[in-house]
Coordinates of all heavy atoms in Angstrom, one line a residue:
Q1 N 80.1 4.3 18.3 CA 79.0 4.5 19.2 C 77.8 5.0 18.4 O 76.7 4.7 18.9 CB 79.4 5.4 20.3 CG 78.6 5.3 21.5 CD 79.0 4.1 22.3 OE1 80.0 4.0 23.0 NE2 78.3 3.0 22.2
T2 N 77.9 5.7 17.4 CA 76.8 6.3 16.7 C 75.8 5.3 16.2 O 74.6 5.5 16.4 CB 77.3 7.2 15.5 OG1 78.1 8.2 16.0 CG2 76.1 7.9 14.8
P3 N 76.1 4.2 15.5 CA 75.1 3.3 15.1 C 74.2 2.7 16.3 O 73.0 2.6 16.2 CB 75.9 2.1 14.5 CG 77.1 2.8 14.0 CD 77.5 3.8 15.0
L4 N 74.9 2.5 17.4 CA 74.1 2.0 18.6 C 73.2 3.1 19.1 O 72.0 2.9 19.4 CB 75.1 1.6 19.7 CG 75.6 0.2 19.6 CD1 76.6 -0.1 20.8 CD2 74.5 -0.9 19.6
L5 N 73.7 4.3 19.2 CA 72.9 5.4 19.7 C 71.7 5.7 18.7 O 70.6 6.0 19.1 CB 73.7 6.7 19.8 CG 74.7 6.6 21.0 CD1 75.6 7.9 21.0 CD2 74.0 6.5 22.3
N6 N 72.0 5.6 17.4 CA 70.9 5.7 16.4 C 69.8 4.7 16.7 O 68.6 5.0 16.6 CB 71.4 5.5 15.0 CG 72.0 6.8 14.4 OD1 71.7 7.9 14.9 ND2 72.8 6.7 13.4
S7 N 70.2 3.5 17.0 CA 69.2 2.4 17.2 C 68.4 2.7 18.5 O 67.2 2.5 18.6 CB 69.8 1.0 17.3 OG 70.5 0.8 18.5
F8 N 69.0 3.3 19.5 CA 68.3 3.6 20.8 C 67.4 4.9 20.6 O 66.4 5.0 21.3 CB 69.3 3.9 21.9 CG 69.8 2.6 22.5 CD1 70.9 2.0 22.0 CD2 69.1 2.1 23.6 CE1 71.4 0.8 22.6 CE2 69.6 0.9 24.1 CZ 70.7 0.3 23.7
A9 N 67.8 5.7 19.7 CA 67.1 7.0 19.5 C 65.7 6.8 18.8 O 64.8 7.6 19.0 CB 67.9 8.0 18.6
Q10 N 65.5 5.7 18.1 CA 64.3 5.4 17.4 C 63.1 5.4 18.4 O 63.1 4.6 19.3 CB 64.4 4.2 16.6 CG 65.5 4.2 15.6 CD 65.1 3.5 14.3 OE1 64.2 2.8 14.2 NE2 66.0 3.6 13.3
G11 N 62.1 6.3 18.2 CA 61.0 6.3 19.0 C 61.1 7.1 20.3 O 60.2 7.1 21.1
R12 N 62.3 7.6 20.5 CA 62.6 8.4 21.8 C 62.6 9.9 21.4 O 63.0 10.3 20.4 CB 63.9 8.0 22.4 CG 63.9 6.5 22.8 CD 65.3 6.2 23.4 NE 65.3 6.8 24.7 CZ 65.8 6.1 25.8 NH1 66.2 4.9 25.7 NH2 65.8 6.7 27.0
R13 N 62.3 10.7 22.4 CA 62.4 12.1 22.3 C 63.3 12.7 23.5 O 63.2 13.9 23.7 CB 61.0 12.8 22.4 CG 60.2 12.4 21.2 CD 58.8 13.1 21.3 NE 58.0 12.8 20.1 CZ 57.9 13.6 19.1 NH1 58.6 14.8 19.1 NH2 57.2 13.3 18.0
D14 N 64.0 11.8 24.1 CA 64.7 12.3 25.3 C 66.2 12.1 25.1 O 67.0 12.1 26.1 CB 64.3 11.5 26.5 CG 64.5 10.0 26.4 OD1 64.8 9.5 25.3 OD2 64.3 9.3 27.4
M15 N 66.7 12.1 23.9 CA 68.1 12.0 23.6 C 68.6 13.2 22.8 O 67.9 13.6 21.9 CB 68.5 10.7 22.8 CG 68.3 9.5 23.6 SD 68.7 8.0 22.6 CE 70.4 8.3 22.1
V16 N 69.8 13.7 23.1 CA 70.4 14.8 22.3 C 71.9 14.6 22.4 O 72.4 14.3 23.5 CB 69.9 16.2 22.9 CG1 70.4 16.5 24.3 CG2 70.4 17.3 21.9
G17 N 72.5 14.8 21.3 CA 74.0 14.8 21.2 C 74.5 16.2 21.4 O 73.9 17.2 21.0
I18 N 75.7 16.3 22.1 CA 76.4 17.6 22.2 C 77.7 17.4 21.5 O 78.5 16.6 21.9 CB 76.6 17.9 23.7 CG1 75.3 17.8 24.5 CG2 77.3 19.3 23.9 CD1 74.2 18.9 24.2
A19 N 78.0 18.3 20.6 CA 79.2 18.3 19.8 C 80.2 19.3 20.4 O 79.9 20.4 20.5 CB 79.0 18.6 18.3
M20 N 81.3 18.8 20.8 CA 82.4 19.6 21.4 C 83.5 19.9 20.3 O 83.7 19.1 19.4 CB 83.0 18.9 22.6 CG 82.1 18.6 23.7 SD 82.8 17.6 25.0 CE 84.3 18.3 25.3
D21 N 84.2 21.0 20.5 CA 85.3 21.3 19.7 C 85.1 21.2 18.2 O 85.9 20.6 17.5 CB 86.5 20.4 20.1 CG 86.9 20.5 21.5 OD1 86.7 21.6 22.1 OD2 87.3 19.5 22.1
T22 N 84.0 21.8 17.7 CA 83.7 21.8 16.3 C 82.9 23.0 15.9 O 82.4 23.7 16.8 CB 82.9 20.5 15.9 OG1 82.9 20.4 14.5 CG2 81.5 20.5 16.4
E23 N 82.8 23.3 14.7 CA 82.0 24.4 14.2 C 80.8 23.9 13.6 O 80.6 22.7 13.3 CB 82.8 25.1 13.1 CG 84.2 25.7 13.6 CD 83.9 26.8 14.6 OE1 83.0 27.6 14.5 OE2 84.8 26.9 15.5
R24 N 79.8 24.7 13.4 CA 78.5 24.4 12.9 C 78.5 23.6 11.6 O 77.9 22.6 11.4 CB 77.6 25.6 12.7 CG 76.2 25.3 12.3 CD 75.4 26.6 12.2 NE 74.0 26.4 11.9 CZ 73.5 26.1 10.7 NH1 74.3 26.1 9.6 NH2 72.3 25.9 10.5
E25 N 79.3 24.1 10.6 CA 79.4 23.4 9.3 C 80.0 22.0 9.4 O 79.5 21.1 8.8 CB 80.2 24.3 8.4 CG 79.6 25.6 8.0 CD 79.7 26.7 9.1 OE1 80.6 26.5 10.0 OE2 78.8 27.6 9.1
E26 N 81.0 21.9 10.2 CA 81.6 20.5 10.5 C 80.6 19.6 11.1 O 80.5 18.4 10.8 CB 82.8 20.6 11.4 CG 84.0 21.3 10.7 CD 85.1 21.5 11.7 OE1 85.9 20.5 11.9 OE2 85.2 22.5 12.4
L27 N 79.8 20.1 12.1 CA 78.8 19.3 12.7 C 77.7 18.8 11.8 O 77.4 17.7 11.7 CB 78.2 20.1 13.9 CG 77.0 19.4 14.6 CD1 77.4 18.1 15.2 CD2 76.4 20.3 15.7
L28 N 77.3 19.8 10.9 CA 76.2 19.4 10.0 C 76.7 18.3 9.0 O 76.0 17.4 8.7 CB 75.7 20.6 9.2 CG 75.0 21.7 10.0 CD1 74.7 22.9 9.2 CD2 73.7 21.1 10.6
A29 N 77.9 18.4 8.6 CA 78.5 17.4 7.6 C 78.6 16.1 8.4 O 78.3 15.0 7.8 CB 79.9 17.9 7.1
H30 N 79.1 16.1 9.6 CA 79.2 14.9 10.4 C 77.9 14.2 10.6 O 77.7 13.0 10.4 CB 79.9 15.1 11.7 CG 80.1 13.9 12.5 ND1 81.1 13.0 12.2 CD2 79.5 13.5 13.7 CE1 81.0 12.0 13.1 NE2 80.1 12.3 14.0
V31 N 76.9 15.0 11.0 CA 75.5 14.4 11.2 C 75.0 13.7 9.9 O 74.5 12.6 10.0 CB 74.6 15.5 11.7 CG1 73.1 15.1 11.6 CG2 74.9 15.9 13.1
Q32 N 75.2 14.4 8.8 CA 74.8 13.8 7.5 C 75.6 12.6 7.2 O 75.0 11.6 6.8 CB 74.9 14.9 6.4 CG 74.3 14.4 5.1 CD 74.3 15.6 4.1 OE1 75.2 16.3 4.0 NE2 73.2 15.6 3.3
Q33 N 76.9 12.7 7.3 CA 77.7 11.5 6.9 C 77.4 10.3 7.8 O 77.4 9.2 7.3 CB 79.2 11.9 7.1 CG 80.2 10.8 6.8 CD 81.6 11.1 7.1 OE1 81.9 12.2 7.6 NE2 82.5 10.3 6.7
M34 N 77.2 10.5 9.1 CA 77.0 9.4 10.0 C 75.5 9.0 10.1 O 75.2 8.1 10.8 CB 77.6 9.7 11.4 CG 79.1 10.0 11.4 SD 80.0 8.5 10.9 CE 79.6 7.3 12.2
R35 N 74.7 9.8 9.4 CA 73.2 9.5 9.4 C 72.7 9.5 10.8 O 71.9 8.6 11.2 CB 72.9 8.2 8.7 CG 73.3 8.3 7.2 CD 72.8 7.1 6.4 NE 73.1 7.3 5.0 CZ 73.7 6.4 4.3 NH1 74.0 5.2 4.8 NH2 73.9 6.6 3.0
I36 N 73.1 10.5 11.6 CA 72.6 10.6 13.0 C 71.1 10.9 13.0 O 70.7 11.8 12.4 CB 73.5 11.6 13.8 CG1 74.9 11.1 13.8 CG2 72.9 11.8 15.1 CD1 75.9 12.1 14.4
T37 N 70.4 10.1 13.8 CA 68.9 10.2 13.8 C 68.4 10.9 15.0 O 67.2 11.1 15.1 CB 68.3 8.8 13.7 OG1 68.7 8.0 14.8 CG2 68.7 8.1 12.4
F38 N 69.2 11.4 15.9 CA 68.8 12.1 17.1 C 69.3 13.5 17.0 O 70.3 13.8 16.3 CB 69.3 11.4 18.4 CG 70.7 11.1 18.4 CD1 71.6 11.9 18.9 CD2 71.2 9.8 17.9 CE1 73.0 11.6 19.0 CE2 72.5 9.5 17.9 CZ 73.4 10.4 18.4
P39 N 68.7 14.5 17.7 CA 69.2 15.8 17.6 C 70.6 16.0 18.2 O 70.9 15.3 19.1 CB 68.2 16.6 18.5 CG 67.1 15.7 18.8 CD 67.6 14.3 18.5
V40 N 71.4 16.8 17.5 CA 72.7 17.1 17.9 C 72.9 18.6 17.9 O 72.5 19.3 17.0 CB 73.8 16.5 17.0 CG1 75.2 16.8 17.5 CG2 73.6 15.0 16.9
M41 N 73.5 19.2 19.0 CA 73.7 20.6 19.1 C 75.1 20.9 19.4 O 75.9 20.0 19.9 CB 72.7 21.2 20.1 CG 72.9 20.7 21.5 SD 71.8 21.3 22.7 CE 72.8 22.6 23.5
L42 N 75.6 22.1 19.2 CA 76.9 22.5 19.6 C 76.9 22.7 21.1 O 76.0 23.1 21.7 CB 77.3 23.8 18.9 CG 77.5 23.7 17.4 CD1 77.6 25.1 16.8 CD2 78.7 22.9 17.1
D43 N 78.1 22.4 21.7 CA 78.3 22.6 23.1 C 78.2 24.0 23.5 O 78.8 24.9 22.9 CB 79.7 22.1 23.4 CG 80.1 22.1 24.9 OD1 79.2 22.4 25.7 OD2 81.2 21.8 25.2
Q44 N 77.3 24.3 24.5 CA 77.1 25.6 25.0 C 77.4 25.6 26.5 O 76.7 26.3 27.3 CB 75.7 26.1 24.7 CG 75.5 26.2 23.2 CD 74.1 26.6 22.9 OE1 73.3 27.0 23.8 NE2 73.7 26.6 21.6
G45 N 78.4 24.9 26.9 CA 78.8 24.8 28.3 C 78.4 23.5 29.0 O 78.8 23.3 30.1
E46 N 77.7 22.7 28.2 CA 77.2 21.4 28.9 C 78.4 20.5 29.2 O 78.4 19.8 30.2 CB 76.3 20.7 27.9 CG 75.0 21.3 27.7 CD 75.0 22.4 26.6 OE1 76.0 22.6 25.9 OE2 74.0 23.0 26.4
S47 N 79.4 20.5 28.4 CA 80.6 19.6 28.6 C 81.3 20.0 29.9 O 81.6 19.1 30.8 CB 81.6 19.6 27.5 OG 82.1 21.0 27.3
R48 N 81.4 21.3 30.2 CA 82.0 21.7 31.4 C 81.1 21.4 32.6 O 81.5 21.0 33.7 CB 82.3 23.2 31.3 CG 83.1 23.8 32.5 CD 83.5 25.2 32.2 NE 83.2 25.6 30.8 CZ 82.5 26.7 30.4 NH1 82.0 27.5 31.3 NH2 82.3 26.9 29.2
R49 N 79.8 21.7 32.4 CA 78.8 21.5 33.5 C 78.8 20.0 33.9 O 78.6 19.8 35.1 CB 77.4 21.9 33.0 CG 76.4 21.9 34.0 CD 75.1 22.6 33.5 NE 74.0 21.7 33.8 CZ 72.9 21.7 33.1 NH1 72.7 22.4 32.0 NH2 71.9 20.9 33.5
F50 N 78.9 19.1 33.0 CA 78.8 17.7 33.3 C 80.2 17.0 33.4 O 80.3 15.8 33.6 CB 78.0 16.9 32.3 CG 76.5 17.4 32.3 CD1 76.0 18.0 31.3 CD2 75.7 17.2 33.5 CE1 74.6 18.4 31.3 CE2 74.4 17.6 33.5 CZ 73.9 18.2 32.4
G51 N 81.3 17.8 33.4 CA 82.6 17.3 33.6 C 83.1 16.4 32.5 O 83.9 15.4 32.7
V52 N 82.7 16.6 31.3 CA 83.1 15.8 30.1 C 84.6 16.2 29.8 O 84.8 17.3 29.4 CB 82.2 16.0 28.9 CG1 82.7 15.2 27.7 CG2 80.8 15.5 29.3
T53 N 85.5 15.2 29.8 CA 86.9 15.4 29.5 C 87.4 14.5 28.4 O 88.6 14.6 28.0 CB 87.7 15.3 30.8 OG1 87.6 14.0 31.3 CG2 87.3 16.3 31.8
A54 N 86.6 13.5 28.0 CA 87.1 12.5 27.0 C 85.9 12.2 26.1 O 84.7 12.4 26.3 CB 87.5 11.3 27.7
Y55 N 86.3 11.6 24.9 CA 85.3 11.2 23.9 C 85.4 9.7 23.8 O 86.4 9.1 23.9 CB 85.7 11.7 22.5 CG 85.8 13.2 22.4 CD1 87.0 13.8 22.1 CD2 84.7 14.0 22.4 CE1 87.1 15.1 22.0 CE2 84.8 15.3 22.3 CZ 86.0 15.9 22.1 OH 86.1 17.3 21.9
P56 N 84.3 9.0 23.6 CA 82.9 9.5 23.8 C 82.6 9.5 25.3 O 83.1 8.7 26.0 CB 82.1 8.5 23.0 CG 82.8 7.2 23.1 CD 84.3 7.6 23.1
T57 N 81.6 10.3 25.6 CA 81.1 10.4 27.0 C 79.6 10.4 26.8 O 79.0 11.2 26.1 CB 81.6 11.6 27.8 OG1 83.0 11.5 27.9 CG2 80.9 11.6 29.1
L58 N 78.9 9.6 27.6 CA 77.4 9.6 27.7 C 77.0 10.1 29.0 O 77.5 9.6 30.0 CB 76.9 8.2 27.5 CG 75.4 8.0 27.6 CD1 74.7 8.6 26.3 CD2 75.1 6.5 27.6
V59 N 76.2 11.1 29.0 CA 75.7 11.7 30.3 C 74.2 11.4 30.3 O 73.4 11.7 29.4 CB 75.9 13.2 30.4 CG1 75.3 13.7 31.7 CG2 77.4 13.5 30.4
V60 N 73.7 10.7 31.3 CA 72.3 10.3 31.5 C 71.8 11.1 32.7 O 72.3 11.0 33.8 CB 72.2 8.8 31.7 CG1 70.7 8.4 31.9 CG2 72.8 8.0 30.6
L61 N 70.7 11.8 32.5 CA 70.0 12.5 33.6 C 68.8 11.7 34.0 O 68.0 11.3 33.2 CB 69.6 13.9 33.1 CG 70.7 14.8 32.6 CD1 70.0 16.1 32.1 CD2 71.7 15.1 33.7
D62 N 68.7 11.5 35.3 CA 67.5 10.9 35.9 C 66.4 11.9 36.0 O 66.5 13.0 35.7 CB 67.8 10.1 37.2 CG 68.2 11.0 38.3 OD1 67.9 12.3 38.3 OD2 68.7 10.5 39.3
A63 N 65.2 11.4 36.5 CA 64.0 12.2 36.7 C 64.3 13.5 37.5 O 63.6 14.5 37.3 CB 62.9 11.4 37.2
E64 N 65.2 13.4 38.5 CA 65.5 14.5 39.3 C 66.6 15.4 38.8 O 67.0 16.4 39.4 CB 65.9 14.0 40.7 CG 64.8 13.4 41.5 CD 64.4 12.0 41.1 OE1 65.4 11.2 40.8 OE2 63.2 11.7 41.1
G65 N 67.1 15.1 37.6 CA 68.2 15.8 37.0 C 69.6 15.5 37.4 O 70.6 16.1 37.1
K66 N 69.7 14.4 38.2 CA 71.1 13.9 38.6 C 71.7 13.3 37.4 O 71.2 12.4 36.7 CB 70.9 12.9 39.7 CG 72.3 12.4 40.2 CD 72.1 11.4 41.3 CE 73.5 10.8 41.7 NZ 73.5 9.4 41.9
A67 N 73.0 13.6 37.2 CA 73.7 13.2 36.0 C 74.6 12.0 36.4 O 75.3 12.0 37.4 CB 74.6 14.3 35.4
T68 N 74.6 11.0 35.5 CA 75.5 9.9 35.6 C 76.4 9.9 34.3 O 75.8 10.0 33.2 CB 74.8 8.5 35.6 OG1 74.0 8.5 36.8 CG2 75.8 7.3 35.6
R69 N 77.7 10.0 34.4 CA 78.6 10.1 33.3 C 79.3 8.8 33.0 O 79.9 8.2 33.9 CB 79.6 11.2 33.6 CG 80.5 11.5 32.5 CD 81.5 12.7 32.8 NE 82.3 12.3 34.0 CZ 82.3 13.0 35.1 NH1 81.6 14.0 35.3 NH2 83.1 12.6 36.1
L70 N 79.2 8.3 31.8 CA 79.9 7.1 31.4 C 80.9 7.4 30.2 O 80.4 8.0 29.2 CB 78.8 6.1 30.9 CG 77.7 5.7 31.9 CD1 76.5 5.2 31.2 CD2 78.3 4.7 32.9
Q71 N 82.1 7.1 30.4 CA 83.1 7.4 29.4 C 83.6 6.2 28.7 O 83.7 5.1 29.2 CB 84.3 8.1 30.1 CG 84.0 9.5 30.6 CD 85.2 10.2 31.2 OE1 86.0 9.6 31.8 NE2 85.2 11.5 31.0
G72 N 84.0 6.4 27.4 CA 84.5 5.3 26.6 C 83.4 4.7 25.7 O 82.2 5.0 25.9
L73 N 83.8 3.8 24.9 CA 82.8 3.0 24.0 C 82.1 2.1 24.9 O 82.6 1.3 25.7 CB 83.6 2.3 22.9 CG 84.2 3.1 21.9 CD1 85.0 2.3 20.9 CD2 83.1 3.9 21.1
L74 N 80.8 2.1 24.7 CA 79.9 1.2 25.5 C 79.3 0.1 24.6 O 79.1 0.3 23.5 CB 78.7 2.0 26.1 CG 79.1 3.2 27.0 CD1 77.9 3.9 27.5 CD2 79.9 2.7 28.2
T75 N 79.1 -1.1 25.3 CA 78.4 -2.2 24.6 C 76.9 -1.9 24.5 O 76.4 -1.0 25.2 CB 78.7 -3.5 25.3 OG1 78.0 -3.5 26.5 CG2 80.2 -3.8 25.4
R76 N 76.2 -2.7 23.7 CA 74.8 -2.6 23.6 C 74.2 -2.8 25.0 O 73.3 -2.0 25.4 CB 74.2 -3.6 22.6 CG 72.7 -3.6 22.6 CD 72.1 -4.4 21.5 NE 72.2 -3.7 20.3 CZ 71.4 -2.7 19.9 NH1 70.4 -2.3 20.7 NH2 71.5 -2.2 18.7
E77 N 74.7 -3.8 25.7 CA 74.1 -4.1 27.1 C 74.3 -2.9 28.0 O 73.5 -2.6 28.8 CB 74.8 -5.3 27.6 CG 74.4 -6.6 26.9 CD 75.1 -6.8 25.5 OE1 76.2 -6.2 25.3 OE2 74.5 -7.5 24.6
E78 N 75.5 -2.3 28.0 CA 75.8 -1.1 28.8 C 74.9 0.0 28.5 O 74.4 0.7 29.4 CB 77.3 -0.7 28.7 CG 78.2 -1.7 29.4 CD 79.7 -1.5 29.0 OE1 80.0 -1.0 27.9 OE2 80.5 -1.8 29.9
L79 N 74.7 0.3 27.2 CA 73.8 1.3 26.8 C 72.3 1.1 27.2 O 71.6 2.0 27.7 CB 73.8 1.5 25.3 CG 75.0 2.3 24.7 CD1 75.0 2.2 23.2 CD2 75.0 3.7 25.2
E80 N 71.9 -0.2 27.1 CA 70.5 -0.5 27.5 C 70.4 -0.3 29.0 O 69.3 0.3 29.5 CB 70.2 -2.0 27.2 CG 70.0 -2.3 25.8 CD 69.8 -3.7 25.5 OE1 70.0 -4.6 26.3 OE2 69.5 -4.0 24.3
R81 N 71.4 -0.6 29.8 CA 71.3 -0.4 31.3 C 71.3 1.1 31.5 O 70.5 1.6 32.3 CB 72.4 -1.0 32.0 CG 72.3 -2.5 32.3 CD 73.2 -3.0 33.3 NE 74.6 -2.8 32.9 CZ 75.4 -3.6 32.2 NH1 74.8 -4.8 31.7 NH2 76.6 -3.4 31.9
A82 N 72.1 1.9 30.9 CA 72.2 3.3 31.1 C 71.0 4.1 30.7 O 70.6 5.0 31.3 CB 73.5 3.8 30.4
L83 N 70.4 3.6 29.5 CA 69.3 4.4 29.0 C 67.9 3.8 29.3 O 66.9 4.2 28.8 CB 69.5 4.5 27.4 CG 70.7 5.2 27.0 CD1 70.8 5.1 25.5 CD2 70.6 6.7 27.4
G84 N 67.9 2.7 30.1 CA 66.7 2.1 30.5 C 65.9 1.4 29.4 O 64.7 1.6 29.2
G85 N 66.6 0.6 28.6 CA 66.0 -0.1 27.5 C 66.6 0.3 26.2 O 67.6 0.9 26.1
G86 N 66.0 -0.1 25.2 CA 66.5 0.2 23.8 C 65.4 0.2 22.8 O 64.2 0.3 23.1
A87 N 65.9 0.1 21.6 CA 64.9 0.1 20.4 C 64.3 -1.3 20.3 O 64.7 -2.3 20.8 CB 65.6 0.5 19.2

C-alpha cells in the first residue's frame, strides 16, 4: 500500500500515517526503508478512537470530521474514490 499512498501524498498536506505497535526507532527505520513521503507518527490513541483492528486500515475524515474506515489492501481506484482524487 505504501507506494500507492506515496503517489497520492505528492502535493497534499492532508495525509498522515499512524504507526501502531512499534517503537520510534523502528518507525524511523521503516519510513526510511520504504521511502515514505507523507508524515507518519506513532499511535497516540487514534487506532482505538477510529476502531482500527487490522492492517492496513485507511481512515478518511470528511470536512465535518466524520470518519470512514477502509480495511485491507486497496486498489488505485479504491484509493482515488476514498481520497477524492490522486496524484
Side-chain angles (χ1 to χ4, degrees):
Q1 204 74 80
T2 300
L4 279 177
L5 290 173
N6 275 339
S7 72
F8 279 91
Q10 299 214 355
R12 297 181 76 132
R13 294 181 176 262
D14 59 349
M15 288 179 60
V16 63
I18 308 294
M20 298 171 48
D21 301 328
T22 192
E23 299 295 325
R24 182 178 186 279
E25 294 75 24
E26 292 175 85
L27 173 58
L28 291 173
H30 181 72
V31 166
Q32 186 174 38
Q33 177 186 9
M34 297 301 294
R35 297 185 176 134
I36 297 175
T37 60
F38 51 92
V40 181
M41 61 183 260
L42 291 171
D43 185 5
Q44 297 178 5
E46 293 84 5
S47 61
R48 188 172 349 126
R49 185 169 136 211
F50 294 115
V52 176
T53 59
Y55 302 112
T57 297
L58 178 70
V59 177
V60 179
L61 300 177
D62 67 15
E64 289 79 39
K66 181 182 175 222
T68 300
R69 187 178 58 244
L70 304 158
Q71 292 182 324
L73 291 174
L74 302 176
T75 66
R76 174 171 283 285
E77 293 76 23
E78 291 168 326
L79 282 170
E80 286 174 353
R81 278 194 304 273
L83 298 175

